[in-house]
Amino acid sequence: MAQSQSSVEVSPMAKSEETIITCEGINKWFGDMHVLKDVNLTIKKGEVLVILGPSGSGKSTFIRTINGLEPIQKGHIEIDGVSLTHDIKDIEAIRRETGMVFQQFNLFPHMTILKNIMLGPIWVKKKPKAEAEKIARELLERVGIPEQADKYPGQLSGGQQQRVAIARALAMQPEIMLFDEPTSALDPEMIKEVLDVMKELARSGITMLCVTHEMGFAREVADRIVLFDGGEIVETGTPEELFDNPKHERTKLFLSQIL
Ligand code: ADP
Ligand code: MG
């Protein structure tokens, strides 16, 4: 009896061992240019992965393949049990699971902040308007700008707009959040407010993939770091392993240039 009970118990450890993203032998070409070369990566549910690497190394392309924004020519991607095929149904299923935040905030300029966040819940999740508004207001609270609800994107600072972009992605209740250099377009004094929201998110247990050059954030928040160079994963490790004891020359070179 005791045995059968323990067999159905899910310990936190067992849960964190669950794979949510599998990338096997990912290859992508833009014309003749081979931009992703046999990328293999498995990500566990709740894991925070930081992707580092020089400009042009394929980081954005890789992160965009994960939600089907960039088709791949070879390899296999599976998100939460769904294979990413060319079938639009699979792509839509995966898009619903993944929120994405870009360097540019891409908010709709003619809509209020609240409406920007309500759009996805209403049109994609088919939520009633009142429920969508409740979700949007709660998320604005969570990212620390509830008082901006009725303003337009152009009236907000870059840091505030990026926090709205994060709230908008979260409104779809994704399992996975993808960030592509979310602070790179921001003035220095606004970087922290966005990183603080991302840190809170990381602690909440959502699975996160972040392309960033913010080394302090990477060291503090990442469970694991991967270094891309020339379309390949050169090295993978914990922040301590990668920063304090890099194994590959290309990692050492990259770190010497950035730190
Ligand atoms: P990173 O994000 O690491 O800076 P990218 O993934 O943006 O790198 O780019 C990887 C390589 O692919 C670069 O050489 C870039 O010029 C090229 N590339 C990216 N997007 C396109 C595209 N849409 N068409 C052609 N080449 C592209
Ligand atoms: Mg990029």
Side-chain angles (χ1 to χ4, degrees):
M1 189 63 196
Q3 201 179 6
S4 74
Q5 236 173 18
S6 71
S7 70
V8 296
E9 241 174 57
V10 181
S11 71
M13 193 60 200
K15 192 165 174 250
S16 72
E17 289 305 306
E18 197 182 317
T19 295
I20 188 161
I21 301 174
T22 307
C23 298
E24 277 171 3
I26 306 301
N27 282 273
K28 170 150 189 95
W29 287 262
F30 283 117
D32 294 340
M33 195 173 28
H34 198 181
V35 293
L36 294 176
K37 301 170 187 164
D38 268 322
V39 174
N40 292 292
L41 192 63
T42 304
I43 297 158
K44 307 246 181 278
K45 205 165 189 163
E47 193 172 11
V48 177
L49 185 90
V50 164
I51 299 172
L52 302 179
S55 177
S57 60
K59 306 178 301 293
S60 293
T61 305
F62 173 68
I63 206 165
R64 289 161 61 86
T65 64
I66 287 181
N67 66 353
L69 281 175
E70 292 285 0
I72 56 171
Q73 282 85 33
K74 197 168 154 225
H76 178 70
I77 298 173
E78 194 173 308
I79 312 286
D80 215 4
V82 179
S83 281
L84 183 52
T85 64
H86 295 295
D87 188 335
I88 189 70
K89 278 208 196 78
D90 295 333
I91 295 176
E92 281 174 354
I94 283 170
R95 295 243 172 99
R96 276 196 296 274
E97 300 237 356
T98 52
M100 183 144 187
V101 176
F102 303 88
Q103 187 173 328
Q104 301 304 333
F105 328 122
N106 302 330
L107 300 173
F108 291 110
H110 59 290
M111 281 184 195
T112 64
I113 297 308
L114 198 67
K115 292 258 161 64
N116 263 279
I117 303 174
M118 287 167 63
L119 215 54
I122 289 176
W123 290 99
V124 183
K125 293 253 173 184
K126 312 290 180 205
K127 303 258 190 211
K129 211 171 150 223
E131 195 185 333
E133 180 170 341
K134 184 166 175 282
I135 292 169
R137 288 197 187 277
E138 281 168 7
L139 285 167
L140 279 176
E141 192 81 45
R142 186 168 175 191
V143 301
I145 42 174
E147 73 287 355
Q148 306 297 334
D150 300 319
K151 294 208 182 133
Y152 287 85
Q155 298 173 292
L156 270 59
S157 71
Q160 290 172 327
Q161 288 189 59
Q162 192 60 302
R163 287 191 275 163
V164 174
I166 295 172
R168 182 182 55 177
L170 290 173
M172 298 294 289
Q173 296 163 315
E175 291 280 331
I176 300 162
M177 284 287 282
L178 307 174
F179 291 90
D180 191 0
E181 299 199 34
T183 60
S184 294
L186 298 177
D187 291 332
E189 72 271 19
M190 291 169 192
I191 292 176
K192 184 178 177 295
E193 66 189 51
V194 172
L195 292 179
D196 283 347
V197 169
M198 291 170 65
K199 284 179 196 171
E200 185 272 323
L201 257 185
R203 282 191 292 269
S204 78
I206 198 166
T207 308
M208 278 169 65
L209 273 70
C210 311
V211 177
T212 183
H213 297 295
E214 293 295 328
M215 296 299 143
F217 173 83
R219 191 184 267 278
E220 184 182 336
V221 178
D223 293 309
R224 198 153 50 110
I225 295 179
V226 297
L227 182 90
F228 266 80
D229 194 13
E232 299 174 298
I233 293 181
V234 170
E235 184 159 353
T236 306
T238 62
E240 292 72 26
E241 286 165 348
L242 219 101
F243 288 125
D244 303 336
N245 194 16
K247 290 193 179 58
H248 294 264
E249 284 309 317
R250 284 197 277 176
T251 313
K252 289 178 197 169
L253 180 66
F254 173 75
L255 293 174
S256 74
Q257 285 164 347
I258 204 155
L259 289 177

